[in-house]
Amino acid sequence: MTDQSKIIYTHTDEAPLLATYSFLPIIAAYAAKAGVDVETRDISLAGRIISQFPDRLTEEQRIPDHLAELGELATKPEANIIKLPNISASVPQLKAAIKELQEQGYDLPDYPESPSTEEEKEIRAAYDKVKGSAVNPVLREGNSDRRAPASVKNYAKAHPHRMGAWSSDSKTNVATMGEHDFRSNEKSVVIEADDTLRIEHVGADGTVTVLKPEVKVLAGEVVDGTYMDVAALRRFLTEQIARAKADNVLFSAHLKATMMKVSDPIIFGHVVQAFFPTLFEQYGEQLAAAGISPNDGLGALLAAVESLPEGEAIKAAVAQGIADGPELAMVDSDKGITNLHVPSDVIIDASMPAMIRTSGHMWGPDGEEADTLAVIPDSSYAGVYQTVIDDCRAHGAFDPATMGSVPNVGLMAKAAEEYGSHDKTFEVPAAGTVRVVSSNGDVLIEHDVQPGDIWRACQTKDAPIRDWVKLAVTRARATGAPAVFWLDETRAHDANLIAKVKEYLPEHDTKGLTIEIMAPAEATAYSLERIRRGEDTISVTGNVLRDYNTDLFPILELGTSAKMLSIVPLMNGGGLFETGAGGSAPKHVQQLVKENYLRWDSLGEFFALAASFEHLAEFAGNKGAQVLADTLDRATGTFLENDKSPTRRVGGIDNRGSHFYLALYWAQELAAQTEDADLAAVFAPLAESLAANEDKIVAELNGVQGSPADIGGYYRPDAEKADAVMRPSATLNEALAAL
């Protein structure tokens, strides 16, 4: 088997991982008949942790650094990678995964919260490679093309999902700083020649501390520096807490503590402290001495104080703070889990569209929906959500049966923009100046800062920008829809990008195309006006807005972002095929363990797989792969028409049943196609067998529902147990084995 006919399917986490145990045997069996080899690589959170500590583990326990291997592959023309959603771990998630692995017999060190020895610093550095968005920047050696496949859009129009009604007197709003934040403090430069920069802090007494000694940059690269003024942040948060109480609305904070793994947990910690001022005035020193950080959230704090002498008093102070403040938006009102319990529980790109879809409401502590003040401290993109809220308040909820679509072309290659800033983000240790200095000593960017301010730099290389402009024109040409670059000329970074867009657009034939540049809030309003007329508009955005828009619009249009086609044309010719968002994956696993029912919808995997086969057919000249792609597309259409996606509750088909029906329809399409007689002959008996045994197979799959399931671990399930749980139909297993 040559590398040219190979697909890499990633083992990730939570519900997508469990679904893989059911779906991958089908994929591998079908692909093999067309000469396509399907291999797996483990990029799960647990797998990435294990790969960092080979010297501490037995031979059987070790896992190679599959992420690094795939990062290397992504730069090669033969790359063909199907990437499922993975955990972007917050510190509490990372600690939980370490604990589970230790209990499973892995000799892993604890996560050092405040490393002091050299060994602890090395351990912390190893774990820091794993937390946050460690995967995507490594694999995304190309820009993003995300859109709703026609079959999904048509299904959503024919079967519109429920949208909450909006009231013109809704008190829901976004609160954002607008000054003294990352957006307003941003400075940006375009690098003239290849260089190595350094980032340093100059204290008030002139002491120079190098924060990052080497930042390699290329000619034409855009480099930004900015900071969040923490004193202004604290004033802002205190004001918004009072505003929420005065307006009698829920208070919620919306951040991205997973992707922005350095800055946003710190901001989250400030929200927790601002909400409980008396608690931290009275017990702040004791909490800090015990290593309890507000950055980890209220849940971790409450768990940790159990062992402190003041534990009961601290818990009472928390209860008093909740009573004194505005009502908090809840993650789980039944269990008392608030918006402030876990930094990774409320992720802005998933939480804001869900709120907008639900009448502008979040869940309150009484288990009822209520208007909400959504606090988004940095103002870079907060206006997008406020614009959508204002539009719904004025015109009512959107209608999925008639609304247009907003596909996205996203600039993300080579860790572009803010999402590549983790290794260049610092909590300022002392008053002074942070500056970016070239190799010859020129100061390119500098900011006066105070202790606790959050300073960050990010990079956007020229080649990805050029490729992004090309991809935008390609999609506009292919669809006829207007392409709008969401760029704000009054923001430093965007001003430099606008200059480059204007430089690179003339390289392409744009005759007859509508290509615009608008600030994000203006672009949102333009797109919404077209959506309500049933018209499509391509949003051409940077990396963060790519993330936000590819949840916002699909959740409104389709009810979910998991059904999007997500293609990353890699810059060196390969393909990365992503399968949708994993935001609801934790709840799905909880339901499976409780009642052996997995409601994860693998539709995104179906689309990614078809696109992967198509790419492989073109790259390797494998005609059988093209037949697999075409028949899978048709089978997915039948799957949608017959409504075989998982239902929400025990009794209907779940993820495993949906995989059976996809296998049935795919086998039938393969048997009926005329492009490859040999493949038709191979799949005819399987199609016949699956159809004849449909009732029996569904009964075997559904018969296990309703009682607890043992998968042997949350972060690292036991492979044999997970396989047994996810493949409970002997009849289906035997049919695949016979193939």
Side-chain angles (χ1 to χ4, degrees):
M1 192 67 61
T2 68
D3 277 353
Q4 292 194 336
S5 281
K6 183 165 71 176
I7 291 172
I8 304 294
Y9 203 89
T10 53
H11 269 277
T12 57
D13 301 286
E14 297 175 322
L17 171 61
L18 292 170
T20 297
Y21 280 102
S22 168
F23 189 37
L24 190 59
I26 297 168
I27 299 171
Y30 284 45
K33 295 303 173 188
V36 177
D37 189 18
V38 180
E39 296 183 2
T40 60
R41 296 293 186 275
D42 186 346
I43 58 169
S44 66
L45 174 58
R48 294 178 348 247
I49 290 170
I50 291 167
S51 73
Q52 295 299 312
F53 299 97
D55 295 346
R56 301 177 66 112
L57 306 177
T58 66
E59 188 65 39
E60 296 75 30
Q61 290 175 326
R62 288 176 194 156
I63 297 176
D65 190 341
H66 285 160
L67 179 58
E69 178 194 341
L70 292 186
E72 181 69 23
L73 177 62
T75 65
K76 297 178 179 177
E78 65 268 23
N80 192 318
I81 303 166
I82 296 179
K83 191 261 169 187
L84 280 71
N86 62 280
I87 292 175
S88 293
S90 62
V91 172
Q93 286 175 303
L94 181 61
K95 289 177 178 176
I98 295 165
K99 184 171 184 286
E100 179 181 298
L101 288 167
Q102 289 170 338
E103 289 168 353
Q104 290 177 353
Y106 290 85
D107 179 25
L108 295 168
D110 290 334
Y111 176 82
E113 195 74 62
S114 304
S116 53
T117 67
E118 281 307 309
E119 183 187 16
E120 285 179 343
K121 288 176 183 175
E122 286 176 16
I123 292 167
R124 173 65 178 264
Y127 280 133
D128 282 349
K129 288 182 188 173
V130 171
K131 75 182 182 188
S133 183
V135 172
N136 291 338
V138 175
L139 299 185
R140 287 173 171 169
E141 285 287 322
N143 291 310
S144 168
D145 170 10
R146 289 198 84 188
R147 55 192 187 269
S151 56
V152 171
K153 186 65 176 171
N154 292 337
Y155 179 83
K157 286 184 172 183
H159 308 275
H161 62 90
R162 189 179 68 81
M163 296 280 271
W166 271 79
S167 165
S168 60
D169 58 5
S170 166
K171 293 190 287 185
T172 290
N173 280 296
V174 170
T176 193
M177 291 174 70
E179 56 183 10
H180 308 300
D181 59 358
F182 289 127
R183 187 206 174 283
S184 56
N185 289 326
E186 187 173 72
K187 296 178 181 179
S188 181
V189 294
V190 179
I191 303 299
E192 290 185 7
D194 294 5
D195 200 358
T196 300
L197 314 180
R198 73 178 181 276
I199 302 171
E200 60 189 26
H201 175 270
V202 184
D205 62 356
T207 305
V208 177
T209 304
V210 176
L211 300 175
K212 191 167 180 70
E214 293 189 348
V215 179
K216 294 189 187 316
V217 291
L218 302 175
E221 186 164 344
V222 179
V223 175
D224 312 315
T226 186
Y227 75 100
M228 171 78 77
D229 180 327
V230 164
L233 170 67
R234 293 298 290 266
R235 289 194 300 273
F236 163 77
L237 292 171
T238 300
E239 288 165 4
Q240 301 319 310
I241 291 163
R243 173 184 171 186
K245 182 151 187 171
D247 290 351
N248 195 27
V249 295
L250 301 178
F251 175 89
S252 66
H254 300 262
L255 295 160
K256 186 86 173 183
T258 49
M259 297 289 271
M260 303 304 296
K261 63 184 178 183
V262 179
S263 61
D264 282 25
I266 298 171
I267 296 171
F268 185 85
H270 285 296
V271 180
V272 173
Q273 291 176 76
F275 201 91
F276 297 97
T278 306
L279 167 71
F280 285 93
E281 283 166 19
Q282 291 179 338
Y283 300 106
E285 289 182 12
Q286 293 95 317
L287 292 169
I292 299 169
S293 170
N295 300 8
D296 293 343
L298 192 56
L301 184 151
L302 288 169
V305 299
E306 291 284 355
S307 58
L308 296 186
E310 310 90 342
E312 289 305 315
I314 290 172
K315 285 195 283 184
V318 169
Q320 189 61 51
I322 290 174
D324 292 343
E327 289 198 330
L328 271 170
M330 304 298 284
V331 170
D332 189 330
S333 52
D334 292 343
K335 296 180 180 175
I337 298 173
T338 72
N339 177 278
L340 301 182
H341 262 62
V342 183
S344 54
D345 266 357
V346 181
I347 300 297
I348 182 171
D349 47 324
S351 60
M352 287 301 297
M355 184 184 85
I356 291 165
R357 183 187 158 192
T358 315
S359 311
H361 294 160
M362 293 187 75
W363 295 100
D366 58 358
E368 300 294 327
E369 295 177 19
D371 289 346
T372 304
L373 182 65
V375 176
I376 305 172
D378 181 52
S379 59
S380 296
Y381 312 111
V384 169
Y385 296 116
Q386 184 67 54
T387 301
V388 181
I389 288 168
D390 290 341
D391 185 272
C392 289
R393 196 163 20 227
H395 304 294
F398 298 98
D399 182 357
T402 60
M403 68 190 290
S405 193
V406 182
N408 180 263
V409 172
L411 172 60
M412 67 179 192
K414 299 191 178 296
E417 303 187 313
E418 296 100 317
Y419 280 174
S421 67
H422 321 309
D423 61 341
K424 298 175 287 292
T425 301
F426 308 96
E427 194 168 16
V428 174
T433 304
V434 175
R435 60 192 192 186
V436 180
V437 185
S438 70
S439 59
N440 65 7
D442 291 342
V443 176
L444 305 180
I445 294 170
E446 65 180 330
H447 293 97
D448 293 333
V449 291
Q450 295 298 317
D453 287 351
I454 306 163
W455 189 96
R456 76 171 185 224
C458 48
Q459 301 166 254
T460 312
K461 299 193 185 307
D462 186 60
I465 298 170
R466 199 172 204 144
D467 180 77
W468 175 58
V469 172
K470 173 186 167 187
L471 186 57
V473 174
T474 301
R475 293 306 304 155
R477 175 72 59 200
T479 62
V484 180
F485 286 85
W486 293 39
L487 296 170
D488 182 352
E489 64 184 4
T490 68
R491 180 180 168 187
H493 167 81
D494 285 13
N496 280 329
L497 252 63
I498 288 170
K500 285 181 175 285
V501 169
K502 288 180 175 177
E503 179 185 351
Y504 296 142
L505 273 174
E507 295 176 356
H508 307 283
D509 176 14
T510 58
K511 188 178 180 183
L513 304 181
T514 300
I515 296 179
E516 306 277 1
I517 298 172
M518 300 181 187
E522 181 191 359
T524 306
Y526 174 80
S527 302
L528 295 178
E529 187 181 328
R530 291 178 55 82
I531 274 178
R532 290 190 182 274
R533 295 200 301 263
E535 297 170 345
D536 299 345
T537 314
I538 301 167
S539 67
V540 189
T541 69
N543 205 349
V544 177
L545 271 175
R546 169 200 59 80
D547 209 2
Y548 292 6
N549 282 6
T550 56
D551 272 316
L552 173 61
F553 293 107
I555 285 172
L556 297 178
E557 293 171 36
L558 314 173
T560 176
S561 57
K563 297 179 179 180
M564 296 288 281
L565 177 61
S566 183
I567 299 173
V568 182
L570 298 173
M571 288 169 63
N572 289 336
L576 175 67
F577 306 92
E578 299 186 323
T579 67
S584 58
K587 290 181 180 177
H588 292 188
V589 181
Q590 291 159 14
Q591 185 178 13
L592 175 85
V593 171
K594 183 179 178 182
E595 51 192 20
N596 204 344
Y597 188 90
L598 186 68
R599 72 173 191 266
W600 176 257
D601 190 339
S602 291
L603 196 60
E605 285 98 296
F606 304 166
F607 291 128
L609 182 61
S612 169
F613 281 135
E614 189 164 34
H615 181 81
L616 188 70
E618 186 177 335
F619 177 78
N622 183 325
K623 293 180 181 176
Q626 187 63 55
V627 172
L628 289 176
D630 294 341
T631 52
L632 178 54
D633 266 339
R634 293 197 290 271
T636 304
T638 306
F639 175 93
L640 284 167
E641 286 167 23
N642 292 341
D643 200 12
K644 295 303 182 184
S645 290
T647 58
R648 293 185 70 82
R649 292 180 182 84
V650 169
I653 63 166
D654 74 346
N655 177 265
R656 296 164 289 195
S658 72
H659 291 160
F660 159 67
Y661 278 106
L662 191 279
L664 168 62
Y665 301 146
W666 194 7
Q668 289 173 334
E669 291 289 350
L670 282 161
Q673 54 81 28
T674 56
E675 288 85 0
D676 189 320
D678 291 341
L679 271 180
V682 166
F683 280 94
L686 179 65
E688 193 175 316
S689 169
L690 294 180
N693 288 293
E694 176 183 352
D695 291 345
K696 184 180 180 184
I697 290 170
V698 171
E700 289 173 347
L701 293 171
N702 289 6
V704 299
Q705 295 177 15
S707 53
D710 178 13
I711 55 173
Y714 182 91
Y715 292 98
R716 189 159 189 80
D718 178 275
E720 287 186 11
K721 289 180 177 180
D723 189 71
V725 167
M726 293 306 301
R727 302 188 68 201
S729 170
T731 308
L732 175 57
N733 298 345
E734 287 162 10
L736 291 172
L739 180 64

